[in-house]
Amino acid sequence: MNFPNPTIDRQLQMALAEDIGSGDITSELLLSPNSRTKGRIWAKEEGVLAGMPVAGRIFQLVGQIDFREEASDGQKISPGQTLAVIEGLTLNILQAERLALNFLQRLSGIATQTRKAVDLVGSDGARIVDTRKTTPLWRWLEKYAVRQGGGYNHRLGLFDAVLIKDNHIRAVGGVKEAVKIAREKAGHTLKIEVEITNFQELNEALEAGADIIMLDNMATNEMKKAVSIVNRKALVEASGGITLENVAEISRCGIDIISMGSLTHSVQALDISLDISQEG
Amino acid sequence: MNFPNPTIDRQLQMALAEDIGSGDITSELLLSPNSRTKGRIWAKEEGVLAGMPVAGRIFQLVGQIDFREEASDGQKISPGQTLAVIEGLTLNILQAERLALNFLQRLSGIATQTRKAVDLVGSDGARIVDTRKTTPLWRWLEKYAVRQGGGYNHRLGLFDAVLIKDNHIRAVGGVKEAVKIAREKAGHTLKIEVEITNFQELNEALEAGADIIMLDNMATNEMKKAVSIVNRKALVEASGGITLENVAEISRCGIDIISMGSLTHSVQALDISLDISQEG
Amino acid sequence: MNFPNPTIDRQLQMALAEDIGSGDITSELLLSPNSRTKGRIWAKEEGVLAGMPVAGRIFQLVGQIDFREEASDGQKISPGQTLAVIEGLTLNILQAERLALNFLQRLSGIATQTRKAVDLVGSDGARIVDTRKTTPLWRWLEKYAVRQGGGYNHRLGLFDAVLIKDNHIRAVGGVKEAVKIAREKAGHTLKIEVEITNFQELNEALEAGADIIMLDNMATNEMKKAVSIVNRKALVEASGGITLENVAEISRCGIDIISMGSLTHSVQALDISLDISQEG
Amino acid sequence: MNFPNPTIDRQLQMALAEDIGSGDITSELLLSPNSRTKGRIWAKEEGVLAGMPVAGRIFQLVGQIDFREEASDGQKISPGQTLAVIEGLTLNILQAERLALNFLQRLSGIATQTRKAVDLVGSDGARIVDTRKTTPLWRWLEKYAVRQGGGYNHRLGLFDAVLIKDNHIRAVGGVKEAVKIAREKAGHTLKIEVEITNFQELNEALEAGADIIMLDNMATNEMKKAVSIVNRKALVEASGGITLENVAEISRCGIDIISMGSLTHSVQALDISLDISQEG
Amino acid sequence: MNFPNPTIDRQLQMALAEDIGSGDITSELLLSPNSRTKGRIWAKEEGVLAGMPVAGRIFQLVGQIDFREEASDGQKISPGQTLAVIEGLTLNILQAERLALNFLQRLSGIATQTRKAVDLVGSDGARIVDTRKTTPLWRWLEKYAVRQGGGYNHRLGLFDAVLIKDNHIRAVGGVKEAVKIAREKAGHTLKIEVEITNFQELNEALEAGADIIMLDNMATNEMKKAVSIVNRKALVEASGGITLENVAEISRCGIDIISMGSLTHSVQALDISLDISQEG
Amino acid sequence: MNFPNPTIDRQLQMALAEDIGSGDITSELLLSPNSRTKGRIWAKEEGVLAGMPVAGRIFQLVGQIDFREEASDGQKISPGQTLAVIEGLTLNILQAERLALNFLQRLSGIATQTRKAVDLVGSDGARIVDTRKTTPLWRWLEKYAVRQGGGYNHRLGLFDAVLIKDNHIRAVGGVKEAVKIAREKAGHTLKIEVEITNFQELNEALEAGADIIMLDNMATNEMKKAVSIVNRKALVEASGGITLENVAEISRCGIDIISMGSLTHSVQALDISLDISQEG
């Protein structure tokens, strides 16, 4: 994620508007408009950091707030560790605080969970990748967080890779026919992935030249067999029902790619806090 | 949540754009543009349903998709239960599917978790309420989901209630002074809540006429004492570090309101699926 | 109003676009693109100033225009008084001029009219508050202007306070029932106001625990009786047909809150002008 | 104004969002979601109606509300007269009510005031026209309202006519030079208007071929002389300080166009109301 | 075109989003985030330059990129000539490059083509003007480019000039009636143009006082006759089927205005390139 | 392109706003608001049709206009051929006409030009593909038009394929290193393309496993040699300076992909017209 990104910036502005509305009435009633503050963002638990550039951008969007990173995305952080120090108008900091923390906590939660899966499969195991089960409007940031945890990204949406599922297969009458049409019509920069459910389909997919073969909810012995049949002529992706409990075992089947929806659909926020010290 | 809501509609359109981009290339390559499909949305695990009107709205926004609810928000649902049946152009259904499910799963996850907390405190216990630790841009929907789980809502944002925290107190020199200024200046439709950390502050808050007193991270014996001091002259809210493990005990202190960030910041998605049956 | 506010900023940009369109053709034809100017904003009549931060923000949004306030919002101003001095590219100043003045004139008109009502009721009289009869899209700014004139704000919209009217009462079968349901279901940060038309309803409202009771178009002797019945157990608001002629008398009935739609729906613009002195 | 207009529609959606926010909490708590209502919009005072298509569009945007006009824009209306009857979901009607009335009241106020000026100058008098002193973002609707009152429109903004003022004149060294440059460079569909302050400038403007000559704050005897000098070789516009008191006299000077900022900057809302009758 | 223009800025942001999406993956993978670069924009063929302020604005919108013009819009440029030098973060420059060049090439293509037509008619020939056959959303920039090539602009859209065509004429029963109604109802700053197809209509148009008479697809001898009949009592515009081959001949008929759709609907991009020299 | 597409719809609304502005003044002055019309869209020259769904969508967005296709995108069309018949309110049709035609003419121009290139290389020749040299904001539609002409699409933007150019190569020290990093870090659904300028780089690219190798401005004999070296281990793309004159020869070098910027940067609009027949 490289800022400014025009799409994300617009959504951050809308997210600020959601929280600020007509104004922070408490602060406008009680604080001096010129009061300035220093603050410290720090970790309350262990994990992998993600979201610093987003937090920094949010503080920038509400006004001239100085934001200095003390830790970087992708880094392991410990309880008590300072992540950033900020300084600016108190009114502005209080407007940005909640949104910045909501992102830091969620994105770091994603990175932390991804890291766990990545560590479980080990450095020569399968790639851990995300899915489209992300938070609406924040998919790009969540995919960024997956990368910070050592994971990789699956396609961005419906538009940047061909992924042939059972509806598509039925519509054209078979795996082979589906892959063949896609090969002929899709742009040359697009990879073609197909979801298969049995070895007959697997062979058709291989024959028709699929780039990636997705094994949906297969048993591990079947996965092993599939990997052996594919024999590196395509990438093999495992998908469906994958947890921290079974991810290592699945990786050991020789799978190239393991996609896990839970990385983004069931996130445990990492506890991160902002302390403000009134100045004057 | 009553649809159409102009703000939510605009964000749903943006969320559809995030997933669809320039188009669902796979379906455009392989499906007939006039092919129609029936589908069934069903629960794969037990929980409390939330998000049906959002899902219905999403299917409506992508085209003329018929969406018929078979279960209602707030209802307990069981594995295998049909939640809705849909019918329309296959291309349109596949464009809406992921977004609709992402909302149903997350919002039902929130309702389910809220229900657990509500059931733990019982019908004469404290109200379980949410916080501002919601997903950016989806706060209104998440607060709606909390209500479907039997919970209540805290303020919408910085603009619709006065919530005096330590920064504000320090800026004006004390709890009493802070509440007094807020009373004098804030609109008469606004409630005034103040976060206190000791009994001295509690007494000042009461004396100055605060409507709601927030006990931040207090021990249960202190909470009991606070409740007894307040003696119904204000609402008492407990906040900070509240989990399903301690929520019942805190409620038994006589607390009126218990706010739980985890309801929305650490959501376990409820497993809900959409099955499509190709038609012709 | 604390700038930047993301919602207001976006609307100011749209308002600039409304006036500028494809460009200020006259100035682009006749002025040198590098020509710089000083300007002076000044009052042509007496009143209460409101809108300086909005004007300042507008000049900032069109380019690097230096805007120095010489008078502050809420202050009484006299004919001939300098309110601000500006300096920047002539092309930019001419693009921002009309919009900045349109706001200054209207918001100061609102503050001035509010001040008149506030002065009439005196410092221990009722609070003068606004209504939802504001200019579409500029409610927040108009409510801000009411505060600059010494008034207070009613609710922001349909979402931040419960206001029970006759339709709602009829739907549930009575004032008591309506207030009771609202009490049980609405969030604890929300106040509950009910519009009553007779003393039977007034008693029901009190009994059910309404926070605010609105007397709609009551005669002054009835208002007095209502105030005495309520006896400080709720706030009493007078509404409907209130003018500068009757506001003091109504206040003397012991009313807490007087809401006046005319503050914002029938505004007399305050005459404020911008003089530009070409430089070179 | 012809609906749908994409710009106005977007702004009406934003204006609905301003009022509705996360929802009409009162109605959502107390009304049945399927309850339907009939309503009647009626005049409480005499005036000229303007804004019916806007009101109709607003009711359409919030849902399937049937809106039947009983009176038309531009028509004189009397106290008690029914202007429209509506029917739809009560929840939807209450969401749209305030915005629709805010427009009807303001636009009819503008039309009514314009009609007064138009009647004062009579059918062979000057054209009464508006200025750029309109409400930000609603200029098109306000200009439409001026037409409904029998007035005419001045330019839409800085982009659709050349209007040369003193800054422009000084920048190029004289009225003649300014008009000449504009003539040479501006598009052939653009009229060229120049503001003059004395007869020397008037003669230069005429000689250089200005289409419209604006007399700024001239005394009536000077206006008469100017009209006689111009002798129909250009249109003559009077501007500045024009009120219902002096408009007829100014018109009698032989002026073609009289522009009045007060038509839109100081509007007296026309009292229009909506009565709802609960159905079932 | 004077920047910032709020409408154009918003569209440029959207156009950046179209190209950048979730990020420039190649550069994010391979470049150091702090790497800075110098670049040079230069012409690869001869033509007339247009679009420098747009290009400059684009580089400004993506970050702190220094953009120094070495040539100005409207200027003739030669192969190899440096047009601008830029310097900034490599990541930012690569994000802006394609969009900036797409505009420079297209707008310079328009200016170049316009210049050819303008040179063909000569300095005392007809004005060459554009039409509404422009690229959707970029009409203002394309009309600006036409001016840089020595051309002039026709109306901006449907809203800023009256242009009566055959549908309108048929609807009211004749050219004379149509022009008469327009004269009476349209604002005084609007010019009235009418498209005529024979001399009967021409005479009616003149009699009714049309400001501009458009001869649609007339033969040159008819045009000459039309010019002689009009005899400077209105502007005469030729339209339809005009090319670089016949434009001079048409001009010599005494036509005032020649509108050419091909200036903007069939643009030959001018070849302009950006060379980047990695720094460190 | 499958409609509704939320991104394109929003841009079409903005494009309608660009042309319509405050309204079609001519039609509002002269036409009856209830007048209905039939119209016929027809070809004035030969070519390949593209843009019918866009045109249809535009007519739908301005109101209830019936649009019936008589020809389909991708089809060869002849002078005089009817492409669509429409029917609806005359006011609405005139609002949509220009925008619909602007798209039809441009997109059909792109399809026609693409078809020429495709026919020149023949059915077993190289794929003709587009580039990022498209009209800002309309890339998706232009890429769609390329497909209607028998071409294929290159990447959508910076985000959906890795394309390594000289800047990237220099930054990491060589082709091999650059491709290697991309392979390791980029998502598995992304193809990796690299631009090479000599055979040393070509061999590095092959060795490191590039999916696509772009030969930038190579001579045909060099291209042949490159094709033979690659020997189907990657796709080979020719780019730079390709015209209808040399495209067939380049294809005969054994190239897989030929990308042509001119397909979209220098479009000759196809002449398409709309005739309206007033009804009553």
Side-chain angles (χ1 to χ4, degrees), chain A:
Chain A
M1 216 58 224
N2 190 246
F3 283 94
N5 176 292
T7 307
I8 298 290
D9 271 5
R10 178 165 161 253
Q11 294 179 356
L12 292 181
Q13 290 283 21
M14 290 169 66
L16 283 165
E18 178 190 53
D19 197 29
I20 297 171
S22 52
D24 175 353
I25 41 173
T26 315
S27 300
E28 290 178 13
L29 287 172
L30 298 175
L31 301 184
S32 150
N34 301 317
S35 146
R36 293 180 66 81
T37 294
K38 280 188 183 157
R40 168 183 173 253
I41 298 178
W42 58 287
K44 298 177 93 164
E45 60 176 320
E46 197 175 287
V48 176
L49 183 62
M52 293 301 279
V54 191
R57 185 68 181 163
I58 291 166
F59 282 110
Q60 202 175 321
L61 289 173
V62 297
Q64 307 299 345
I65 298 174
D66 189 61
F67 178 88
R68 205 174 69 241
E69 295 197 7
E70 301 274 318
S72 300
D73 278 7
Q75 197 177 317
K76 295 222 172 181
I77 53 175
S78 328
Q81 186 177 342
T82 298
L83 307 179
V85 291
I86 56 177
E87 183 173 357
L89 289 178
T90 315
L91 279 170
N92 288 347
I93 290 176
L94 292 176
Q95 285 185 326
E97 176 189 14
R98 189 70 264 142
L99 184 64
L101 287 178
N102 283 353
F103 273 115
L104 277 180
Q105 293 186 325
R106 179 169 179 87
L107 298 179
S108 298
I110 291 172
T112 302
Q113 185 75 357
T114 305
R115 184 83 262 163
K116 283 180 193 159
V118 168
D119 288 348
L120 283 165
V121 301
S123 62
D124 52 359
R127 281 187 176 192
I128 302 300
V129 311
D130 47 41
T131 65
R132 284 165 57 231
K133 297 182 179 177
T134 53
T135 306
L137 291 177
W138 305 115
R139 180 173 289 169
W140 300 352
L141 294 182
E142 295 189 351
K143 283 181 171 277
Y144 165 83
V146 165
R147 296 199 301 273
Q148 302 313 304
Y152 290 83
N153 297 145
H154 210 297
R155 62 175 177 167
L156 285 168
L158 296 168
F159 52 89
D160 66 325
V162 175
L163 178 36
I164 302 170
K165 298 196 176 179
D166 58 347
N167 282 291
H168 306 112
I169 293 167
R170 258 184 297 165
V172 296
V175 166
K176 197 198 245 162
E177 186 61 13
V179 175
K180 194 165 154 285
I181 294 173
R183 271 260 89 89
E184 280 166 12
K185 299 286 181 107
H188 67 290
T189 62
L190 293 171
K191 288 216 179 155
I192 294 167
E193 177 162 5
V194 60
E195 189 179 301
I196 60 102
T197 54
N198 57 47
F199 296 106
Q200 153 77 15
E201 289 184 344
L202 175 59
N203 282 311
E204 288 190 34
L206 275 180
E207 201 178 326
D211 296 302
I212 312 163
I213 289 168
M214 182 191 284
L215 314 178
D216 192 27
N217 278 304
M218 268 196 182
T220 48
N221 62 327
E222 291 180 313
M223 289 198 212
K224 278 181 200 158
K225 185 173 164 193
V227 167
S228 132
I229 292 171
V230 171
N231 194 20
R232 314 229 66 81
K233 290 193 288 281
L235 291 173
V236 181
E237 175 178 339
S239 179
I242 294 160
T243 64
L244 293 186
E245 278 65 45
N246 60 15
V247 67
E249 186 190 356
I250 290 168
S251 173
R252 282 191 300 267
C253 296
I255 294 292
D256 299 297
I257 311 286
I258 297 178
S259 54
M260 296 177 69
S262 62
L263 296 182
T264 53
H265 74 48
S266 295
V267 178
Q268 181 78 23
L270 197 74
D271 203 354
I272 292 175
S273 199
L274 188 156
D275 284 354
I276 289 176
S277 53
Q278 193 81 15
E279 287 233 312

Side-chain angles (χ1 to χ4, degrees), chain D residues 150-264:
Chain D
Y152 290 83
N153 297 145
H154 211 297
R155 63 175 177 166
L156 285 168
L158 296 168
F159 53 89
D160 66 324
V162 175
L163 178 37
I164 302 170
K165 298 197 177 179
D166 58 347
N167 282 290
H168 306 111
I169 292 167
R170 259 184 294 165
V172 295
V175 165
K176 196 198 247 163
E177 186 63 12
V179 175
K180 193 164 156 285
I181 294 173
R183 271 260 90 89
E184 280 165 12
K185 299 286 181 109
H188 67 289
T189 62
L190 294 171
K191 288 218 179 153
I192 294 168
E193 176 162 5
V194 60
E195 188 179 302
I196 61 100
T197 54
N198 57 47
F199 296 106
Q200 154 76 14
E201 289 184 345
L202 175 60
N203 282 311
E204 288 190 35
L206 276 180
E207 201 178 325
D211 296 303
I212 312 162
I213 289 169
M214 182 192 283
L215 314 179
D216 193 26
N217 279 303
M218 268 196 182
T220 48
N221 62 329
E222 291 181 311
M223 288 198 213
K224 279 180 199 158
K225 184 172 164 195
V227 166
S228 129
I229 291 172
V230 171
N231 194 20
R232 315 229 65 82
K233 289 192 287 282
L235 292 172
V236 181
E237 175 177 342
S239 178
I242 294 159
T243 63
L244 292 187
E245 278 65 45
N246 60 16
V247 68
E249 186 190 356
I250 290 168
S251 172
R252 283 191 299 266
C253 295
I255 294 291
D256 300 297
I257 311 286
I258 297 178
S259 55
M260 296 177 69
S262 62
L263 296 182
T264 53

Side-chain angles (χ1 to χ4, degrees), chain E residues 18-19 23 25-27 29 98 102 132 134-139 158-159 163 167-168 185 266-267 269 276, chain F residues 18-19 23 25-27 29 98 102 132 134-139 158-159 163 167-168 185 266-267 269 276:
Chain E
E18 179 190 52
D19 197 29
I25 41 172
T26 314
S27 300
L29 287 171
R98 188 70 264 141
N102 282 353
R132 285 164 56 232
T134 52
T135 306
L137 290 177
W138 305 114
R139 181 173 287 168
L158 296 168
F159 53 89
L163 178 37
N167 282 291
H168 307 110
K185 299 287 181 107
S266 295
V267 178
I276 289 176
Chain F
E18 179 190 52
D19 196 30
I25 39 173
T26 314
S27 300
L29 287 172
R98 188 70 264 141
N102 282 353
R132 284 165 57 232
T134 52
T135 306
L137 291 177
W138 305 115
R139 181 173 288 168
L158 297 167
F159 53 89
L163 178 37
N167 282 290
H168 306 110
K185 299 287 180 107
S266 296
V267 178
I276 289 175

Side-chain angles (χ1 to χ4, degrees), chain C residues 10-11 14-15 17-27 29-32 37 90 94-95 98-99 102-103 105-106 132-140 155-172 177-179 181-182 185-186 190 265-269 276-278, chain D residues 10-11 14-15 17-27 29-32 37 90 94-95 98-99 102-103 105-106 132-140 155-165 167-172 177-179 181-182 185-186 190 264-269 276-278:
Chain C
R10 178 166 160 253
Q11 294 178 355
M14 290 168 66
E18 179 190 52
D19 197 29
I20 297 171
S22 53
D24 175 355
I25 40 173
T26 314
S27 299
L29 288 172
L30 298 174
L31 301 184
S32 150
T37 295
T90 315
L94 292 176
Q95 284 185 327
R98 188 71 263 141
L99 184 64
N102 282 353
F103 273 115
Q105 293 186 327
R106 179 169 179 85
R132 285 165 56 232
K133 297 180 179 177
T134 52
T135 306
L137 290 178
W138 305 115
R139 181 173 288 168
W140 300 353
R155 61 175 178 167
L156 285 167
L158 296 168
F159 53 88
D160 66 325
V162 175
L163 178 36
I164 302 170
K165 298 197 175 178
D166 58 346
N167 282 290
H168 306 110
I169 292 167
R170 257 184 296 166
V172 295
E177 187 62 13
V179 175
I181 294 172
K185 300 286 181 108
L190 294 171
H265 75 48
S266 295
V267 177
Q268 180 78 22
I276 288 175
S277 52
Q278 192 82 16
Chain D
R10 179 167 160 251
Q11 294 179 356
M14 290 168 67
E18 178 190 54
D19 197 30
I20 298 172
S22 52
D24 175 354
I25 40 173
T26 314
S27 300
L29 288 172
L30 298 174
L31 301 184
S32 150
T37 294
T90 315
L94 292 176
Q95 284 185 327
R98 188 71 263 142
L99 184 64
N102 282 353
F103 273 117
Q105 292 185 325
R106 180 169 179 86
R132 283 166 57 233
K133 297 181 179 177
T134 52
T135 306
L137 291 176
W138 304 115
R139 181 172 289 169
W140 300 352
R155 63 175 177 166
L156 285 168
L158 296 168
F159 53 89
D160 66 324
V162 175
L163 178 37
I164 302 170
K165 298 197 177 179
N167 282 290
H168 306 111
I169 292 167
R170 259 184 294 165
V172 295
E177 186 63 12
V179 175
I181 294 173
K185 299 286 181 109
L190 294 171
T264 53
H265 75 47
S266 295
V267 178
Q268 182 77 24
I276 289 175
S277 53
Q278 194 81 18

Side-chain angles (χ1 to χ4, degrees), chain E residues 128-141:
Chain E
I128 303 299
V129 311
D130 47 41
T131 64
R132 285 164 56 232
K133 298 181 179 178
T134 52
T135 306
L137 290 177
W138 305 114
R139 181 173 287 168
W140 300 352
L141 294 182

Side-chain angles (χ1 to χ4, degrees), chain B residues 138-211:
Chain B
W138 305 114
R139 180 173 289 168
W140 300 352
L141 293 182
E142 295 190 350
K143 283 181 171 276
Y144 165 83
V146 165
R147 295 199 300 273
Q148 302 315 304
Y152 290 83
N153 297 146
H154 210 299
R155 62 176 178 166
L156 285 167
L158 296 168
F159 52 89
D160 66 323
V162 175
L163 177 38
I164 303 170
K165 299 196 177 180
D166 58 347
N167 282 290
H168 306 111
I169 293 167
R170 260 185 294 165
V172 295
V175 166
K176 198 199 245 164
E177 187 61 13
V179 175
K180 196 164 154 283
I181 293 173
R183 271 259 89 90
E184 280 165 12
K185 299 287 181 109
H188 66 289
T189 62
L190 294 171
K191 288 215 179 157
I192 294 167
E193 176 162 6
V194 60
E195 188 179 303
I196 61 101
T197 56
N198 57 47
F199 296 106
Q200 154 75 16
E201 289 184 345
L202 175 60
N203 282 310
E204 287 190 34
L206 275 180
E207 202 178 325
D211 296 303

Side-chain angles (χ1 to χ4, degrees), chain C residues 13-127:
Chain C
Q13 291 283 21
M14 290 168 66
L16 283 166
E18 179 190 52
D19 197 29
I20 297 171
S22 53
D24 175 355
I25 40 173
T26 314
S27 299
E28 291 178 12
L29 288 172
L30 298 174
L31 301 184
S32 150
N34 300 318
S35 145
R36 294 180 64 81
T37 295
K38 280 188 183 158
R40 167 184 174 254
I41 298 178
W42 58 287
K44 299 179 92 164
E45 61 177 320
E46 197 176 285
V48 176
L49 183 62
M52 293 300 278
V54 191
R57 185 68 181 161
I58 291 165
F59 282 109
Q60 201 175 322
L61 288 173
V62 295
Q64 307 298 346
I65 298 173
D66 189 60
F67 178 87
R68 206 176 67 241
E69 295 196 6
E70 301 275 319
S72 300
D73 279 7
Q75 198 177 314
K76 296 222 171 181
I77 54 176
S78 327
Q81 186 177 342
T82 299
L83 308 179
V85 292
I86 57 178
E87 183 173 358
L89 289 178
T90 315
L91 279 170
N92 287 347
I93 290 176
L94 292 176
Q95 284 185 327
E97 176 189 13
R98 188 71 263 141
L99 184 64
L101 287 178
N102 282 353
F103 273 115
L104 276 179
Q105 293 186 327
R106 179 169 179 85
L107 298 180
S108 297
I110 290 172
T112 301
Q113 185 75 356
T114 305
R115 183 83 259 162
K116 282 181 193 159
V118 168
D119 288 347
L120 282 167
V121 302
S123 62
D124 53 358
R127 280 187 176 191

